[in-house]
Structures are given as C-alpha cells and as structure tokens.
mmCIF file of all heavy atoms in Angstrom:
data_model
loop_
_atom_site.group_PDB
_atom_site.id
_atom_site.type_symbol
_atom_site.label_atom_id
_atom_site.label_comp_id
_atom_site.label_asym_id
_atom_site.label_seq_id
_atom_site.Cartn_x
_atom_site.Cartn_y
_atom_site.Cartn_z
ATOM 1 N N GLY U 1 72.168 117.457 79.473
ATOM 2 C CA GLY U 1 72.022 116.185 78.776
ATOM 3 C C GLY U 1 73.317 115.456 78.506
ATOM 4 O O GLY U 1 73.304 114.380 77.902
ATOM 5 N N ARG U 2 74.446 116.005 78.941
ATOM 6 C CA ARG U 2 75.741 115.451 78.528
ATOM 7 C C ARG U 2 75.954 114.008 78.986
ATOM 8 O O ARG U 2 76.526 113.188 78.269
ATOM 9 C CB ARG U 2 76.879 116.333 79.039
ATOM 10 C CG ARG U 2 77.049 117.607 78.234
ATOM 11 C CD ARG U 2 78.107 118.489 78.839
ATOM 12 N NE ARG U 2 78.380 119.652 77.986
ATOM 13 C CZ ARG U 2 79.078 120.707 78.376
ATOM 14 N NH1 ARG U 2 79.571 120.731 79.597
ATOM 15 N NH2 ARG U 2 79.294 121.713 77.556
ATOM 16 N N ASP U 3 75.482 113.652 80.168
ATOM 17 C CA ASP U 3 75.710 112.302 80.664
ATOM 18 C C ASP U 3 74.888 111.261 79.917
ATOM 19 O O ASP U 3 75.196 110.065 79.967
ATOM 20 C CB ASP U 3 75.394 112.224 82.153
ATOM 21 C CG ASP U 3 76.563 112.662 83.018
ATOM 22 O OD1 ASP U 3 77.564 113.127 82.450
ATOM 23 O OD2 ASP U 3 76.466 112.539 84.250
ATOM 24 N N ILE U 4 73.829 111.679 79.240
ATOM 25 C CA ILE U 4 73.022 110.726 78.474
ATOM 26 C C ILE U 4 73.883 110.016 77.449
ATOM 27 O O ILE U 4 73.790 108.796 77.273
ATOM 28 C CB ILE U 4 71.837 111.445 77.791
ATOM 29 C CG1 ILE U 4 70.837 111.933 78.839
ATOM 30 C CG2 ILE U 4 71.137 110.506 76.815
ATOM 31 C CD1 ILE U 4 69.680 112.747 78.254
ATOM 32 N N LEU U 5 74.740 110.771 76.756
ATOM 33 C CA LEU U 5 75.563 110.161 75.717
ATOM 34 C C LEU U 5 76.529 109.132 76.298
ATOM 35 O O LEU U 5 76.758 108.079 75.690
ATOM 36 C CB LEU U 5 76.341 111.218 74.939
ATOM 37 C CG LEU U 5 77.161 110.649 73.783
ATOM 38 C CD1 LEU U 5 76.253 110.108 72.688
ATOM 39 C CD2 LEU U 5 78.123 111.676 73.224
ATOM 40 N N PHE U 6 77.105 109.422 77.462
ATOM 41 C CA PHE U 6 77.982 108.441 78.104
ATOM 42 C C PHE U 6 77.251 107.102 78.253
ATOM 43 O O PHE U 6 77.792 106.039 77.946
ATOM 44 C CB PHE U 6 78.427 108.941 79.480
ATOM 45 C CG PHE U 6 79.687 109.751 79.467
ATOM 46 C CD1 PHE U 6 79.653 111.108 79.251
ATOM 47 C CD2 PHE U 6 80.916 109.141 79.657
ATOM 48 C CE1 PHE U 6 80.820 111.865 79.239
ATOM 49 C CE2 PHE U 6 82.089 109.876 79.649
ATOM 50 C CZ PHE U 6 82.044 111.251 79.440
ATOM 51 N N ASP U 7 76.023 107.153 78.744
ATOM 52 C CA ASP U 7 75.260 105.937 78.966
ATOM 53 C C ASP U 7 74.863 105.284 77.647
ATOM 54 O O ASP U 7 74.859 104.056 77.530
ATOM 55 C CB ASP U 7 74.020 106.245 79.788
ATOM 56 C CG ASP U 7 73.303 104.987 80.243
ATOM 57 O OD1 ASP U 7 73.850 104.275 81.107
ATOM 58 O OD2 ASP U 7 72.211 104.699 79.718
ATOM 59 N N GLN U 8 74.538 106.062 76.646
ATOM 60 C CA GLN U 8 74.175 105.499 75.350
ATOM 61 C C GLN U 8 75.363 104.779 74.699
ATOM 62 O O GLN U 8 75.191 103.751 74.050
ATOM 63 C CB GLN U 8 73.684 106.603 74.411
ATOM 64 C CG GLN U 8 72.313 107.150 74.756
ATOM 65 C CD GLN U 8 71.871 108.201 73.752
ATOM 66 O OE1 GLN U 8 72.625 109.118 73.415
ATOM 67 N NE2 GLN U 8 70.653 108.068 73.271
ATOM 68 N N ASN U 9 76.548 105.317 74.871
ATOM 69 C CA ASN U 9 77.718 104.739 74.227
ATOM 70 C C ASN U 9 78.099 103.374 74.787
ATOM 71 O O ASN U 9 78.603 102.519 74.057
ATOM 72 C CB ASN U 9 78.911 105.689 74.345
ATOM 73 C CG ASN U 9 78.831 106.829 73.351
ATOM 74 O OD1 ASN U 9 78.061 106.801 72.400
ATOM 75 N ND2 ASN U 9 79.648 107.854 73.577
ATOM 76 N N PHE U 10 77.855 103.179 76.088
ATOM 77 C CA PHE U 10 78.207 101.900 76.717
ATOM 78 C C PHE U 10 77.616 101.891 78.120
ATOM 79 O O PHE U 10 77.720 102.883 78.850
ATOM 80 C CB PHE U 10 79.731 101.726 76.753
ATOM 81 C CG PHE U 10 80.210 100.526 77.512
ATOM 82 C CD1 PHE U 10 79.769 99.256 77.184
ATOM 83 C CD2 PHE U 10 81.119 100.667 78.561
ATOM 84 C CE1 PHE U 10 80.219 98.140 77.896
ATOM 85 C CE2 PHE U 10 81.572 99.566 79.266
ATOM 86 C CZ PHE U 10 81.116 98.299 78.931
ATOM 87 N N LYS U 11 77.014 100.761 78.521
ATOM 88 C CA LYS U 11 76.226 100.745 79.756
ATOM 89 C C LYS U 11 77.045 100.952 81.013
ATOM 90 O O LYS U 11 76.489 101.317 82.058
ATOM 91 C CB LYS U 11 75.424 99.452 79.862
ATOM 92 C CG LYS U 11 76.260 98.187 79.978
ATOM 93 C CD LYS U 11 75.339 96.970 80.096
ATOM 94 C CE LYS U 11 76.123 95.673 80.188
ATOM 95 N NZ LYS U 11 75.202 94.505 80.319
ATOM 96 N N TYR U 12 78.383 100.730 80.964
ATOM 97 C CA TYR U 12 79.194 100.937 82.158
ATOM 98 C C TYR U 12 80.079 102.181 82.058
ATOM 99 O O TYR U 12 80.958 102.387 82.901
ATOM 100 C CB TYR U 12 80.064 99.709 82.435
ATOM 101 C CG TYR U 12 79.258 98.486 82.818
ATOM 102 C CD1 TYR U 12 79.314 97.330 82.047
ATOM 103 C CD2 TYR U 12 78.437 98.493 83.940
ATOM 104 C CE1 TYR U 12 78.564 96.209 82.389
ATOM 105 C CE2 TYR U 12 77.680 97.374 84.288
ATOM 106 C CZ TYR U 12 77.750 96.234 83.509
ATOM 107 O OH TYR U 12 77.005 95.132 83.855
ATOM 108 N N ASN U 13 79.843 103.003 81.068
ATOM 109 C CA ASN U 13 80.681 104.204 80.911
ATOM 110 C C ASN U 13 80.628 105.125 82.119
ATOM 111 O O ASN U 13 81.663 105.619 82.583
ATOM 112 C CB ASN U 13 80.247 104.990 79.672
ATOM 113 C CG ASN U 13 81.000 104.588 78.424
ATOM 114 O OD1 ASN U 13 82.068 104.002 78.491
ATOM 115 N ND2 ASN U 13 80.439 104.906 77.277
ATOM 116 N N LEU U 14 79.431 105.361 82.628
ATOM 117 C CA LEU U 14 79.306 106.285 83.757
ATOM 118 C C LEU U 14 79.954 105.702 85.003
ATOM 119 O O LEU U 14 80.594 106.424 85.776
ATOM 120 C CB LEU U 14 77.841 106.618 84.015
ATOM 121 C CG LEU U 14 77.198 107.543 82.975
ATOM 122 C CD1 LEU U 14 75.690 107.609 83.178
ATOM 123 C CD2 LEU U 14 77.799 108.933 83.046
ATOM 124 N N ALA U 15 79.803 104.414 85.195
ATOM 125 C CA ALA U 15 80.436 103.781 86.357
ATOM 126 C C ALA U 15 81.955 103.844 86.253
ATOM 127 O O ALA U 15 82.646 104.116 87.236
ATOM 128 C CB ALA U 15 79.973 102.326 86.472
ATOM 129 N N VAL U 16 82.478 103.611 85.052
ATOM 130 C CA VAL U 16 83.928 103.712 84.846
ATOM 131 C C VAL U 16 84.395 105.133 85.109
ATOM 132 O O VAL U 16 85.366 105.362 85.853
ATOM 133 C CB VAL U 16 84.305 103.283 83.414
ATOM 134 C CG1 VAL U 16 85.754 103.646 83.109
ATOM 135 C CG2 VAL U 16 84.087 101.785 83.218
ATOM 136 N N ARG U 17 83.727 106.082 84.483
ATOM 137 C CA ARG U 17 84.164 107.469 84.623
ATOM 138 C C ARG U 17 84.114 107.948 86.064
ATOM 139 O O ARG U 17 85.062 108.556 86.570
ATOM 140 C CB ARG U 17 83.288 108.386 83.749
ATOM 141 C CG ARG U 17 83.863 109.778 83.541
ATOM 142 C CD ARG U 17 82.813 110.736 83.015
ATOM 143 N NE ARG U 17 81.944 111.203 84.086
ATOM 144 C CZ ARG U 17 80.730 111.726 83.876
ATOM 145 N NH1 ARG U 17 80.231 111.790 82.655
ATOM 146 N NH2 ARG U 17 80.009 112.145 84.890
ATOM 147 N N ARG U 18 83.035 107.656 86.747
ATOM 148 C CA ARG U 18 82.887 108.175 88.104
ATOM 149 C C ARG U 18 83.805 107.453 89.093
ATOM 150 O O ARG U 18 84.248 108.054 90.068
ATOM 151 C CB ARG U 18 81.420 108.082 88.520
ATOM 152 C CG ARG U 18 80.605 109.107 87.755
ATOM 153 C CD ARG U 18 79.146 109.055 88.062
ATOM 154 N NE ARG U 18 78.467 110.073 87.260
ATOM 155 C CZ ARG U 18 77.241 109.966 86.812
ATOM 156 N NH1 ARG U 18 76.532 108.898 87.080
ATOM 157 N NH2 ARG U 18 76.701 110.934 86.099
ATOM 158 N N THR U 19 84.091 106.191 88.832
ATOM 159 C CA THR U 19 85.076 105.502 89.664
ATOM 160 C C THR U 19 86.440 106.165 89.518
ATOM 161 O O THR U 19 87.120 106.455 90.528
ATOM 162 C CB THR U 19 85.168 104.017 89.268
ATOM 163 O OG1 THR U 19 83.912 103.376 89.537
ATOM 164 C CG2 THR U 19 86.270 103.313 90.053
ATOM 165 N N LEU U 20 86.844 106.412 88.284
ATOM 166 C CA LEU U 20 88.146 107.037 88.047
ATOM 167 C C LEU U 20 88.169 108.482 88.545
ATOM 168 O O LEU U 20 89.199 108.954 89.040
ATOM 169 C CB LEU U 20 88.486 106.981 86.559
ATOM 170 C CG LEU U 20 88.672 105.578 85.981
ATOM 171 C CD1 LEU U 20 89.004 105.659 84.500
ATOM 172 C CD2 LEU U 20 89.756 104.811 86.728
ATOM 173 N N GLU U 21 87.057 109.172 88.428
ATOM 174 C CA GLU U 21 86.992 110.545 88.951
ATOM 175 C C GLU U 21 87.136 110.551 90.469
ATOM 176 O O GLU U 21 87.805 111.433 91.033
ATOM 177 C CB GLU U 21 85.671 111.197 88.538
ATOM 178 C CG GLU U 21 85.607 111.584 87.067
ATOM 179 C CD GLU U 21 84.253 112.105 86.655
ATOM 180 O OE1 GLU U 21 83.279 111.956 87.430
ATOM 181 O OE2 GLU U 21 84.156 112.645 85.540
ATOM 182 N N THR U 22 86.491 109.598 91.123
ATOM 183 C CA THR U 22 86.617 109.506 92.585
ATOM 184 C C THR U 22 88.063 109.240 92.979
ATOM 185 O O THR U 22 88.586 109.827 93.940
ATOM 186 C CB THR U 22 85.696 108.399 93.126
ATOM 187 O OG1 THR U 22 84.344 108.676 92.748
ATOM 188 C CG2 THR U 22 85.788 108.310 94.642
ATOM 189 N N VAL U 23 88.721 108.368 92.234
ATOM 190 C CA VAL U 23 90.138 108.103 92.476
ATOM 191 C C VAL U 23 90.956 109.375 92.255
ATOM 192 O O VAL U 23 91.802 109.743 93.086
ATOM 193 C CB VAL U 23 90.641 106.978 91.542
ATOM 194 C CG1 VAL U 23 92.165 106.905 91.555
ATOM 195 C CG2 VAL U 23 90.040 105.636 91.965
ATOM 196 N N TYR U 24 90.692 110.048 91.151
ATOM 197 C CA TYR U 24 91.460 111.240 90.800
ATOM 198 C C TYR U 24 91.303 112.352 91.843
ATOM 199 O O TYR U 24 92.253 113.066 92.162
ATOM 200 C CB TYR U 24 91.002 111.747 89.436
ATOM 201 C CG TYR U 24 91.844 112.863 88.881
ATOM 202 C CD1 TYR U 24 93.081 112.613 88.294
ATOM 203 C CD2 TYR U 24 91.414 114.189 88.950
ATOM 204 C CE1 TYR U 24 93.866 113.639 87.791
ATOM 205 C CE2 TYR U 24 92.179 115.217 88.450
ATOM 206 C CZ TYR U 24 93.405 114.939 87.875
ATOM 207 O OH TYR U 24 94.173 115.962 87.378
ATOM 208 N N GLU U 25 90.121 112.476 92.386
ATOM 209 C CA GLU U 25 89.842 113.551 93.341
ATOM 210 C C GLU U 25 90.345 113.229 94.751
ATOM 211 O O GLU U 25 90.584 114.145 95.543
ATOM 212 C CB GLU U 25 88.337 113.820 93.390
ATOM 213 C CG GLU U 25 87.780 114.435 92.110
ATOM 214 C CD GLU U 25 86.262 114.440 92.086
ATOM 215 O OE1 GLU U 25 85.642 113.866 93.026
ATOM 216 O OE2 GLU U 25 85.687 114.985 91.126
ATOM 217 N N ASN U 26 90.511 111.950 95.091
ATOM 218 C CA ASN U 26 90.760 111.585 96.489
ATOM 219 C C ASN U 26 92.090 110.896 96.761
ATOM 220 O O ASN U 26 92.464 110.740 97.926
ATOM 221 C CB ASN U 26 89.625 110.681 96.997
ATOM 222 C CG ASN U 26 88.289 111.403 97.049
ATOM 223 O OD1 ASN U 26 88.014 112.150 97.984
ATOM 224 N ND2 ASN U 26 87.458 111.181 96.036
ATOM 225 N N TYR U 27 92.789 110.481 95.730
ATOM 226 C CA TYR U 27 94.048 109.755 95.952
ATOM 227 C C TYR U 27 95.108 110.685 96.532
ATOM 228 O O TYR U 27 95.375 111.764 95.996
ATOM 229 C CB TYR U 27 94.539 109.160 94.641
ATOM 230 C CG TYR U 27 95.822 108.368 94.763
ATOM 231 C CD1 TYR U 27 95.936 107.317 95.664
ATOM 232 C CD2 TYR U 27 96.930 108.672 93.968
ATOM 233 C CE1 TYR U 27 97.109 106.577 95.784
ATOM 234 C CE2 TYR U 27 98.105 107.939 94.062
ATOM 235 C CZ TYR U 27 98.178 106.903 94.973
ATOM 236 O OH TYR U 27 99.338 106.180 95.077
ATOM 237 N N GLU U 28 95.725 110.276 97.630
ATOM 238 C CA GLU U 28 96.724 111.099 98.303
ATOM 239 C C GLU U 28 98.129 110.517 98.182
ATOM 240 O O GLU U 28 99.059 110.991 98.830
ATOM 241 C CB GLU U 28 96.348 111.267 99.775
ATOM 242 C CG GLU U 28 95.037 112.022 99.980
ATOM 243 C CD GLU U 28 94.677 112.213 101.448
ATOM 244 O OE1 GLU U 28 95.418 111.657 102.310
ATOM 245 O OE2 GLU U 28 93.680 112.887 101.731
ATOM 246 N N GLY U 29 98.284 109.504 97.350
ATOM 247 C CA GLY U 29 99.589 108.886 97.176
ATOM 248 C C GLY U 29 100.438 109.611 96.148
ATOM 249 O O GLY U 29 100.179 110.767 95.788
ATOM 250 N N ASP U 30 101.454 108.938 95.640
ATOM 251 C CA ASP U 30 102.423 109.522 94.711
ATOM 252 C C ASP U 30 101.795 109.694 93.329
ATOM 253 O O ASP U 30 101.434 108.715 92.670
ATOM 254 C CB ASP U 30 103.642 108.606 94.630
ATOM 255 C CG ASP U 30 104.773 109.228 93.814
ATOM 256 O OD1 ASP U 30 104.566 110.295 93.214
ATOM 257 O OD2 ASP U 30 105.869 108.626 93.779
ATOM 258 N N ARG U 31 101.683 110.935 92.896
ATOM 259 C CA ARG U 31 101.089 111.235 91.591
ATOM 260 C C ARG U 31 102.153 111.489 90.526
ATOM 261 O O ARG U 31 101.851 112.053 89.480
ATOM 262 C CB ARG U 31 100.144 112.431 91.692
ATOM 263 C CG ARG U 31 98.914 112.152 92.555
ATOM 264 C CD ARG U 31 97.926 113.303 92.529
ATOM 265 N NE ARG U 31 96.725 112.980 93.287
ATOM 266 C CZ ARG U 31 95.473 113.220 92.865
ATOM 267 N NH1 ARG U 31 95.276 113.795 91.687
ATOM 268 N NH2 ARG U 31 94.431 112.892 93.607
ATOM 269 N N THR U 32 103.348 111.084 90.799
ATOM 270 C CA THR U 32 104.425 111.298 89.816
ATOM 271 C C THR U 32 104.839 109.997 89.129
ATOM 272 O O THR U 32 105.652 110.024 88.204
ATOM 273 C CB THR U 32 105.662 111.907 90.495
ATOM 274 O OG1 THR U 32 106.209 110.977 91.434
ATOM 275 C CG2 THR U 32 105.315 113.219 91.184
ATOM 276 N N THR U 33 104.278 108.871 89.552
ATOM 277 C CA THR U 33 104.678 107.591 88.972
ATOM 278 C C THR U 33 104.119 107.435 87.561
ATOM 279 O O THR U 33 103.133 108.077 87.178
ATOM 280 C CB THR U 33 104.183 106.413 89.824
ATOM 281 O OG1 THR U 33 102.749 106.377 89.773
ATOM 282 C CG2 THR U 33 104.634 106.557 91.265
ATOM 283 N N ALA U 34 104.720 106.517 86.801
ATOM 284 C CA ALA U 34 104.292 106.280 85.417
ATOM 285 C C ALA U 34 102.872 105.727 85.373
ATOM 286 O O ALA U 34 102.074 106.105 84.505
ATOM 287 C CB ALA U 34 105.256 105.311 84.737
ATOM 288 N N GLU U 35 102.525 104.848 86.329
ATOM 289 C CA GLU U 35 101.175 104.275 86.303
ATOM 290 C C GLU U 35 100.115 105.311 86.666
ATOM 291 O O GLU U 35 99.009 105.294 86.101
ATOM 292 C CB GLU U 35 101.096 103.065 87.238
ATOM 293 C CG GLU U 35 101.747 101.818 86.648
ATOM 294 C CD GLU U 35 101.087 100.543 87.138
ATOM 295 O OE1 GLU U 35 101.228 100.237 88.335
ATOM 296 O OE2 GLU U 35 100.449 99.861 86.312
ATOM 297 N N TRP U 36 100.428 106.199 87.603
ATOM 298 C CA TRP U 36 99.448 107.248 87.895
ATOM 299 C C TRP U 36 99.237 108.133 86.677
ATOM 300 O O TRP U 36 98.097 108.481 86.342
ATOM 301 C CB TRP U 36 99.870 108.103 89.090
ATOM 302 C CG TRP U 36 98.919 109.253 89.275
ATOM 303 C CD1 TRP U 36 99.067 110.539 88.837
ATOM 304 C CD2 TRP U 36 97.624 109.190 89.879
ATOM 305 N NE1 TRP U 36 97.953 111.292 89.133
ATOM 306 C CE2 TRP U 36 97.045 110.485 89.777
ATOM 307 C CE3 TRP U 36 96.897 108.178 90.493
ATOM 308 C CZ2 TRP U 36 95.782 110.777 90.264
ATOM 309 C CZ3 TRP U 36 95.625 108.465 90.991
ATOM 310 C CH2 TRP U 36 95.090 109.748 90.875
ATOM 311 N N LYS U 37 100.310 108.509 86.004
ATOM 312 C CA LYS U 37 100.200 109.338 84.806
ATOM 313 C C LYS U 37 99.380 108.618 83.729
ATOM 314 O O LYS U 37 98.611 109.232 82.998
ATOM 315 C CB LYS U 37 101.580 109.701 84.269
ATOM 316 C CG LYS U 37 102.390 110.615 85.191
ATOM 317 C CD LYS U 37 101.700 111.958 85.369
ATOM 318 C CE LYS U 37 102.527 112.901 86.240
ATOM 319 N NZ LYS U 37 101.836 114.203 86.477
ATOM 320 N N ALA U 38 99.562 107.300 83.644
ATOM 321 C CA ALA U 38 98.799 106.519 82.670
ATOM 322 C C ALA U 38 97.317 106.482 83.033
ATOM 323 O O ALA U 38 96.444 106.581 82.160
ATOM 324 C CB ALA U 38 99.359 105.102 82.584
#
C-alpha cells in the first residue's frame, strides 16, 4: 500500500518520483557535479 500515500499527498507525486528514479537508474554522465548531487 505504500504508493497509495504518494498519490494521496499530491496527484503528480508518483510521476515526479518515477521520472527521477528513471534518471537516477539510467544516467551515465558525470555524477560528481553539484547539480547531480542536488
């Protein structure tokens, strides 16, 4: 049931999270920059 709360808190929470997760899992560029860390 954990994802239910994400959706209850805000209608685009799951889309935001999964977009960023996809980026985090697949990005092959420089992961040492300040913006990547942010």
